[in-house]
Short mmCIF file of all heavy atoms in Angstrom, two decimals:
data_model
loop_
_atom_site.label_atom_id
_atom_site.label_comp_id
_atom_site.label_asym_id
_atom_site.label_seq_id
_atom_site.Cartn_x
_atom_site.Cartn_y
_atom_site.Cartn_z
N LEU X 134 128.34 56.30 58.41
CA LEU X 134 128.92 55.59 59.57
C LEU X 134 130.01 56.45 60.19
O LEU X 134 130.15 56.51 61.41
CB LEU X 134 129.47 54.23 59.15
CG LEU X 134 128.44 53.17 58.78
CD1 LEU X 134 129.13 51.91 58.26
CD2 LEU X 134 127.57 52.84 59.98
N GLY X 135 130.82 57.10 59.35
CA GLY X 135 131.84 58.00 59.84
C GLY X 135 131.24 59.12 60.66
O GLY X 135 131.75 59.48 61.73
N VAL X 136 130.16 59.70 60.16
CA VAL X 136 129.48 60.77 60.91
C VAL X 136 128.96 60.23 62.23
O VAL X 136 129.08 60.88 63.28
CB VAL X 136 128.35 61.39 60.08
CG1 VAL X 136 127.51 62.35 60.90
CG2 VAL X 136 128.89 62.11 58.85
N ALA X 137 128.40 59.01 62.21
CA ALA X 137 127.89 58.41 63.45
C ALA X 137 129.00 58.20 64.48
O ALA X 137 128.77 58.34 65.69
CB ALA X 137 127.17 57.08 63.14
N VAL X 138 130.20 57.87 64.02
CA VAL X 138 131.34 57.72 64.93
C VAL X 138 131.79 59.09 65.45
O VAL X 138 132.10 59.24 66.64
CB VAL X 138 132.51 56.99 64.22
CG1 VAL X 138 133.79 57.06 65.02
CG2 VAL X 138 132.14 55.54 63.94
N LEU X 139 131.83 60.08 64.57
CA LEU X 139 132.44 61.36 64.92
C LEU X 139 131.55 62.33 65.66
O LEU X 139 132.06 63.15 66.43
CB LEU X 139 132.98 62.02 63.64
CG LEU X 139 134.14 61.29 62.99
CD1 LEU X 139 134.49 61.94 61.64
CD2 LEU X 139 135.34 61.25 63.91
N VAL X 140 130.23 62.28 65.46
CA VAL X 140 129.36 63.25 66.14
C VAL X 140 129.51 63.19 67.66
O VAL X 140 129.70 64.22 68.31
CB VAL X 140 127.90 63.12 65.67
CG1 VAL X 140 126.93 63.77 66.63
CG2 VAL X 140 127.75 63.76 64.28
N PRO X 141 129.42 62.01 68.29
CA PRO X 141 129.59 62.01 69.75
C PRO X 141 130.99 62.40 70.18
O PRO X 141 131.15 63.04 71.23
CB PRO X 141 129.27 60.58 70.16
CG PRO X 141 129.13 59.79 68.91
CD PRO X 141 129.04 60.71 67.76
N ILE X 142 131.99 62.06 69.39
CA ILE X 142 133.38 62.47 69.74
C ILE X 142 133.49 63.98 69.71
O ILE X 142 134.03 64.61 70.62
CB ILE X 142 134.40 61.81 68.78
CG1 ILE X 142 134.44 60.30 69.02
CG2 ILE X 142 135.78 62.44 68.94
CD1 ILE X 142 135.27 59.55 67.97
N MET X 143 132.97 64.60 68.64
CA MET X 143 133.08 66.05 68.51
C MET X 143 132.23 66.76 69.56
O MET X 143 132.64 67.79 70.11
CB MET X 143 132.69 66.50 67.12
CG MET X 143 133.63 66.03 66.01
SD MET X 143 135.39 66.26 66.36
CE MET X 143 135.47 68.01 66.63
N ALA X 144 131.06 66.22 69.89
CA ALA X 144 130.24 66.83 70.95
C ALA X 144 130.99 66.78 72.27
O ALA X 144 131.00 67.76 73.04
CB ALA X 144 128.89 66.11 71.06
N ASN X 145 131.63 65.66 72.56
CA ASN X 145 132.41 65.52 73.78
C ASN X 145 133.59 66.50 73.81
O ASN X 145 133.86 67.13 74.85
CB ASN X 145 132.90 64.09 73.93
CG ASN X 145 133.56 63.83 75.26
OD1 ASN X 145 133.00 64.13 76.31
ND2 ASN X 145 134.75 63.29 75.23
N ILE X 146 134.27 66.65 72.68
CA ILE X 146 135.39 67.59 72.60
C ILE X 146 134.91 69.01 72.84
O ILE X 146 135.55 69.79 73.56
CB ILE X 146 136.11 67.45 71.24
CG1 ILE X 146 136.88 66.12 71.23
CG2 ILE X 146 137.05 68.64 71.00
CD1 ILE X 146 137.46 65.77 69.87
N ILE X 147 133.78 69.39 72.25
CA ILE X 147 133.23 70.72 72.46
C ILE X 147 132.95 70.97 73.94
O ILE X 147 133.30 72.02 74.49
CB ILE X 147 131.99 70.95 71.60
CG1 ILE X 147 132.37 71.01 70.12
CG2 ILE X 147 131.23 72.21 72.02
CD1 ILE X 147 131.20 70.94 69.16
N VAL X 148 132.32 70.01 74.60
CA VAL X 148 132.02 70.17 76.03
C VAL X 148 133.30 70.27 76.85
O VAL X 148 133.42 71.14 77.72
CB VAL X 148 131.11 69.01 76.52
CG1 VAL X 148 130.96 69.04 78.02
CG2 VAL X 148 129.73 69.11 75.86
N ILE X 149 134.26 69.39 76.58
CA ILE X 149 135.51 69.45 77.34
C ILE X 149 136.22 70.79 77.10
O ILE X 149 136.70 71.41 78.05
CB ILE X 149 136.42 68.25 76.97
CG1 ILE X 149 135.86 66.98 77.56
CG2 ILE X 149 137.85 68.48 77.44
CD1 ILE X 149 136.55 65.71 77.10
N ASP X 150 136.29 71.21 75.85
CA ASP X 150 136.93 72.50 75.55
C ASP X 150 136.20 73.64 76.25
O ASP X 150 136.84 74.57 76.76
CB ASP X 150 136.97 72.74 74.03
CG ASP X 150 137.98 71.87 73.32
OD1 ASP X 150 138.73 71.14 74.00
OD2 ASP X 150 138.01 71.91 72.07
N TRP X 151 134.91 73.62 76.26
CA TRP X 151 134.12 74.69 76.87
C TRP X 151 134.30 74.71 78.39
O TRP X 151 134.43 75.77 78.98
CB TRP X 151 132.64 74.50 76.49
CG TRP X 151 131.75 75.56 76.99
CD1 TRP X 151 131.80 76.89 76.76
CD2 TRP X 151 130.64 75.37 77.88
NE1 TRP X 151 130.79 77.55 77.41
CE2 TRP X 151 130.05 76.62 78.11
CE3 TRP X 151 130.06 74.25 78.46
CZ2 TRP X 151 128.94 76.79 78.91
CZ3 TRP X 151 128.95 74.43 79.26
CH2 TRP X 151 128.41 75.68 79.47
N VAL X 152 134.33 73.54 79.00
CA VAL X 152 134.41 73.45 80.46
C VAL X 152 135.84 73.68 80.97
O VAL X 152 136.03 74.35 81.96
CB VAL X 152 133.89 72.07 80.95
CG1 VAL X 152 134.16 71.87 82.41
CG2 VAL X 152 132.39 71.95 80.66
N TYR X 153 136.84 73.13 80.28
CA TYR X 153 138.20 73.12 80.83
C TYR X 153 139.17 74.09 80.17
O TYR X 153 140.17 74.44 80.79
CB TYR X 153 138.79 71.71 80.75
CG TYR X 153 138.09 70.74 81.66
CD1 TYR X 153 137.21 69.80 81.16
CD2 TYR X 153 138.31 70.77 83.03
CE1 TYR X 153 136.56 68.90 81.99
CE2 TYR X 153 137.66 69.89 83.87
CZ TYR X 153 136.78 68.97 83.35
OH TYR X 153 136.15 68.09 84.19
N LEU X 154 138.95 74.45 78.94
CA LEU X 154 139.94 75.29 78.26
C LEU X 154 139.56 76.76 78.30
O LEU X 154 138.39 77.10 78.22
CB LEU X 154 140.11 74.85 76.81
CG LEU X 154 140.51 73.40 76.58
CD1 LEU X 154 140.69 73.14 75.10
CD2 LEU X 154 141.78 73.06 77.32
N ASP X 155 140.56 77.59 78.36
CA ASP X 155 140.32 79.04 78.34
C ASP X 155 140.41 79.60 76.93
O ASP X 155 140.09 80.74 76.72
CB ASP X 155 141.34 79.74 79.23
CG ASP X 155 140.80 80.04 80.62
OD1 ASP X 155 139.57 79.93 80.80
OD2 ASP X 155 141.61 80.38 81.49
N ALA X 156 140.85 78.82 76.00
CA ALA X 156 141.05 79.28 74.63
C ALA X 156 139.79 79.10 73.81
O ALA X 156 139.19 78.02 73.85
CB ALA X 156 142.22 78.55 74.02
N LYS X 157 139.44 80.11 73.06
CA LYS X 157 138.25 80.01 72.20
C LYS X 157 138.54 79.29 70.91
O LYS X 157 137.66 78.70 70.31
CB LYS X 157 137.70 81.40 71.93
CG LYS X 157 137.13 82.06 73.16
CD LYS X 157 136.59 83.43 72.84
CE LYS X 157 136.04 84.00 74.15
NZ LYS X 157 135.95 85.42 74.16
N GLY X 158 139.80 79.30 70.45
CA GLY X 158 140.16 78.69 69.18
C GLY X 158 139.77 77.21 69.07
O GLY X 158 139.13 76.83 68.09
N PRO X 159 140.13 76.38 70.06
CA PRO X 159 139.76 74.97 69.97
C PRO X 159 138.24 74.75 69.93
O PRO X 159 137.77 73.85 69.25
CB PRO X 159 140.37 74.34 71.22
CG PRO X 159 141.49 75.26 71.59
CD PRO X 159 141.04 76.64 71.18
N ILE X 160 137.51 75.56 70.66
CA ILE X 160 136.03 75.43 70.65
C ILE X 160 135.49 75.78 69.27
O ILE X 160 134.61 75.09 68.76
CB ILE X 160 135.38 76.33 71.73
CG1 ILE X 160 135.81 75.86 73.13
CG2 ILE X 160 133.87 76.32 71.61
CD1 ILE X 160 135.41 76.79 74.24
N VAL X 161 136.04 76.84 68.68
CA VAL X 161 135.59 77.25 67.35
C VAL X 161 135.89 76.15 66.34
O VAL X 161 135.03 75.77 65.54
CB VAL X 161 136.25 78.58 66.94
CG1 VAL X 161 135.98 78.91 65.48
CG2 VAL X 161 135.75 79.71 67.83
N ASN X 162 137.13 75.61 66.38
CA ASN X 162 137.48 74.53 65.44
C ASN X 162 136.55 73.34 65.59
O ASN X 162 136.01 72.82 64.62
CB ASN X 162 138.93 74.08 65.67
CG ASN X 162 139.93 75.06 65.16
OD1 ASN X 162 139.64 75.89 64.32
ND2 ASN X 162 141.13 74.99 65.68
N ALA X 163 136.40 72.85 66.81
CA ALA X 163 135.56 71.67 67.06
C ALA X 163 134.11 71.93 66.63
O ALA X 163 133.44 71.06 66.08
CB ALA X 163 135.62 71.26 68.53
N THR X 164 133.62 73.14 66.88
CA THR X 164 132.25 73.49 66.50
C THR X 164 132.09 73.51 64.98
O THR X 164 131.07 73.03 64.45
CB THR X 164 131.85 74.85 67.10
OG1 THR X 164 131.97 74.76 68.54
CG2 THR X 164 130.41 75.21 66.75
N ILE X 165 133.10 74.00 64.28
CA ILE X 165 133.04 74.00 62.81
C ILE X 165 132.99 72.57 62.29
O ILE X 165 132.18 72.24 61.42
CB ILE X 165 134.22 74.79 62.20
CG1 ILE X 165 134.00 76.28 62.44
CG2 ILE X 165 134.38 74.49 60.71
CD1 ILE X 165 135.19 77.14 62.11
N TYR X 166 133.85 71.68 62.83
CA TYR X 166 133.83 70.28 62.40
C TYR X 166 132.47 69.66 62.71
O TYR X 166 131.92 68.92 61.89
CB TYR X 166 134.93 69.47 63.07
CG TYR X 166 136.31 70.06 62.95
CD1 TYR X 166 137.24 69.89 63.98
CD2 TYR X 166 136.71 70.81 61.84
CE1 TYR X 166 138.52 70.43 63.88
CE2 TYR X 166 137.98 71.33 61.75
CZ TYR X 166 138.88 71.15 62.78
OH TYR X 166 140.14 71.68 62.70
N PHE X 167 131.95 69.95 63.89
CA PHE X 167 130.64 69.41 64.30
C PHE X 167 129.53 69.88 63.35
O PHE X 167 128.71 69.08 62.92
CB PHE X 167 130.34 69.83 65.75
CG PHE X 167 129.11 69.24 66.31
CD1 PHE X 167 129.06 67.91 66.73
CD2 PHE X 167 127.95 70.01 66.47
CE1 PHE X 167 127.93 67.35 67.27
CE2 PHE X 167 126.81 69.45 67.00
CZ PHE X 167 126.78 68.12 67.40
N LEU X 168 129.52 71.17 63.03
CA LEU X 168 128.51 71.70 62.12
C LEU X 168 128.65 71.10 60.72
O LEU X 168 127.65 70.84 60.06
CB LEU X 168 128.59 73.23 62.06
CG LEU X 168 128.17 73.95 63.34
CD1 LEU X 168 128.44 75.45 63.24
CD2 LEU X 168 126.70 73.68 63.67
N MET X 169 129.88 70.85 60.30
CA MET X 169 130.08 70.20 58.99
C MET X 169 129.52 68.78 59.01
O MET X 169 128.90 68.34 58.02
CB MET X 169 131.55 70.19 58.62
CG MET X 169 132.09 71.54 58.23
SD MET X 169 133.85 71.44 57.79
CE MET X 169 133.95 72.79 56.65
N LEU X 170 129.72 68.06 60.10
CA LEU X 170 129.13 66.72 60.25
C LEU X 170 127.61 66.79 60.20
O LEU X 170 126.96 65.95 59.56
CB LEU X 170 129.62 66.06 61.53
CG LEU X 170 131.12 65.72 61.58
CD1 LEU X 170 131.51 65.30 62.99
CD2 LEU X 170 131.46 64.64 60.57
N LEU X 171 127.04 67.79 60.86
CA LEU X 171 125.58 67.95 60.83
C LEU X 171 125.10 68.27 59.40
O LEU X 171 124.04 67.80 59.00
CB LEU X 171 125.14 69.03 61.80
CG LEU X 171 125.32 68.73 63.28
CD1 LEU X 171 124.79 69.87 64.13
CD2 LEU X 171 124.66 67.42 63.68
N TYR X 172 125.89 69.05 58.65
CA TYR X 172 125.51 69.32 57.28
C TYR X 172 125.50 68.04 56.45
O TYR X 172 124.62 67.83 55.63
CB TYR X 172 126.41 70.38 56.62
CG TYR X 172 126.02 70.58 55.17
CD1 TYR X 172 124.89 71.34 54.88
CD2 TYR X 172 126.69 69.95 54.14
CE1 TYR X 172 124.49 71.51 53.55
CE2 TYR X 172 126.28 70.10 52.82
CZ TYR X 172 125.17 70.87 52.53
OH TYR X 172 124.75 71.02 51.24
N ILE X 173 126.48 67.18 56.67
CA ILE X 173 126.52 65.90 55.97
C ILE X 173 125.25 65.11 56.25
O ILE X 173 124.66 64.52 55.36
CB ILE X 173 127.78 65.11 56.34
CG1 ILE X 173 129.04 65.84 55.86
CG2 ILE X 173 127.73 63.69 55.74
CD1 ILE X 173 130.34 65.33 56.45
N LEU X 174 124.83 65.11 57.52
CA LEU X 174 123.56 64.43 57.87
C LEU X 174 122.39 65.10 57.17
O LEU X 174 121.50 64.42 56.62
CB LEU X 174 123.34 64.46 59.38
CG LEU X 174 124.24 63.57 60.22
CD1 LEU X 174 123.94 63.77 61.71
CD2 LEU X 174 124.07 62.11 59.82
N TYR X 175 122.36 66.44 57.16
CA TYR X 175 121.26 67.15 56.51
C TYR X 175 121.23 66.86 55.02
O TYR X 175 120.16 66.59 54.44
CB TYR X 175 121.41 68.67 56.76
CG TYR X 175 120.37 69.47 56.01
CD1 TYR X 175 119.06 69.53 56.47
CD2 TYR X 175 120.71 70.14 54.83
CE1 TYR X 175 118.10 70.25 55.75
CE2 TYR X 175 119.76 70.84 54.12
CZ TYR X 175 118.46 70.88 54.61
OH TYR X 175 117.51 71.59 53.89
N TYR X 176 122.39 66.90 54.38
CA TYR X 176 122.46 66.65 52.94
C TYR X 176 121.94 65.23 52.62
O TYR X 176 121.31 65.03 51.60
CB TYR X 176 123.90 66.81 52.47
CG TYR X 176 124.08 66.47 51.01
CD1 TYR X 176 123.77 67.40 50.03
CD2 TYR X 176 124.56 65.22 50.61
CE1 TYR X 176 123.92 67.08 48.68
CE2 TYR X 176 124.72 64.92 49.27
CZ TYR X 176 124.39 65.85 48.32
OH TYR X 176 124.54 65.54 46.98
N ASN X 177 122.21 64.30 53.49
CA ASN X 177 121.80 62.90 53.31
C ASN X 177 120.55 62.58 54.13
O ASN X 177 120.34 61.43 54.50
CB ASN X 177 122.96 61.97 53.71
CG ASN X 177 124.14 62.13 52.80
OD1 ASN X 177 124.16 61.59 51.69
ND2 ASN X 177 125.12 62.92 53.23
N ARG X 178 119.73 63.57 54.38
CA ARG X 178 118.60 63.42 55.31
C ARG X 178 117.61 62.31 54.91
O ARG X 178 117.09 61.64 55.77
CB ARG X 178 117.90 64.74 55.53
CG ARG X 178 117.24 65.33 54.30
CD ARG X 178 116.79 66.79 54.57
NE ARG X 178 116.37 67.45 53.37
CZ ARG X 178 117.17 68.04 52.50
NH1 ARG X 178 118.48 68.03 52.67
NH2 ARG X 178 116.70 68.64 51.43
#
């Protein structure tokens, strides 16, 4: 349930960071969190 709440939030953050921010750091951080959430889904597939 936590992953279900967080995946759309993290996807939205990645898009906002990519579109509006000039810094790569926040995109990298958000992408790492997003990939970790996807791993949790994969592990519990």
Side-chain angles (χ1 to χ4, degrees):
L134 289 175
V136 172
V138 168
L139 293 173
V140 162
I142 292 171
M143 294 313 303
N145 187 51
I146 289 171
I147 291 168
V148 170
I149 287 172
D150 287 354
W151 183 59
V152 171
Y153 292 105
L154 302 183
D155 263 347
K157 292 180 180 158
I160 296 171
V161 170
N162 286 339
T164 301
I165 288 170
Y166 308 148
F167 185 76
L168 291 173
M169 288 180 152
L170 293 170
L171 293 182
Y172 177 78
I173 295 166
L174 288 177
Y175 175 76
Y176 177 81
N177 295 280
R178 64 191 171 277

